[in-house]
Amino acid sequence: MGQGGEPRRPQPRDGELGAAVARAQDGDETAFAVAYRIVQPGLLGYLRGLVGDDAEDVASDAWLEIARDLGRFRGDGAGFRGWTATIARHRALDHLRRQRVRPRAAQLEQDALELPGRHSTHDQALESLSTERALDLVRGLPRDQAEAVLLRVVVGLDGPAAARVLGKRPGAVRTAAYRGLRRLARQLGTDRVTDADPPTLGESG
């Protein structure tokens, strides 16, 4: 279980990923390719949400660093997802700085202050979309919400892991993800969470 009783949602291939990473650390290049194939789709989706069309270039830079520092990684498959997302985020922010593009300031709207309940509509909101359309919608969110949604839904991290990537408290990341998913659900006409109990906001990291 995660922080605040939140269930950890393991990704279907985390066991396979952890085994591949362990073999790759022992010098197995084929195993590194397996880890790459498992992680890359989610990582690329996350980067598209941050840097748009430059995502593949940034991902390439991130994988060079991942390969270089692989021997220092300690953890399981889920941990590897978080570690690679942290590296990719740093490369993306470096890229944005080089491009002199300021991250969009978060614009809190009154309706974003209403949080949905524990049973989020993110599956309903995203399952019927093509990846490209979903990412376009996510890019329209305030920065903190977009990153939280991308890390939770696209990369597949749990709340505490996403918080570590962003350097924030788990409760803040969970709140940002709920706000972003609420907006997406409303845009897609799948907002069915208004009567549910609000989430606990007193979580700490």
Side-chain angles (χ1 to χ4, degrees), residues 44-122:
L44 197 57
Y46 174 51
L47 289 171
R48 282 198 184 111
L50 295 182
V51 299
D53 292 339
D54 294 328
E56 294 203 16
D57 290 341
V58 174
S60 294
D61 290 343
W63 278 105
L64 287 173
E65 183 173 342
I66 291 163
R68 185 193 72 200
D69 293 344
L70 184 64
R72 292 193 289 195
F73 170 73
R74 297 290 180 270
D76 58 8
F80 187 73
R81 288 182 193 275
W83 184 68
T84 56
T86 299
I87 291 172
R89 182 174 191 262
H90 290 158
R91 295 285 71 78
L93 296 179
D94 287 346
H95 176 82
L96 291 173
R97 278 191 287 269
R98 284 197 301 272
Q99 299 294 316
R100 296 185 180 179
V101 176
R102 289 186 178 178
R104 183 176 59 248
Q107 298 172 338
L108 289 178
E109 297 178 4
Q110 185 60 39
D111 59 13
L113 298 177
E114 298 176 25
L115 302 185
R118 293 185 182 280
H119 302 292
S120 167
T121 60
H122 63 265

Side-chain angles (χ1 to χ4, degrees), residues 18 20-28 31-32 69-75:
V21 170
R23 292 196 309 274
Q25 288 180 313
D26 288 334
D28 185 336
F32 185 82
D69 293 344
L70 184 64
R72 292 193 289 195
F73 170 73
R74 297 290 180 270

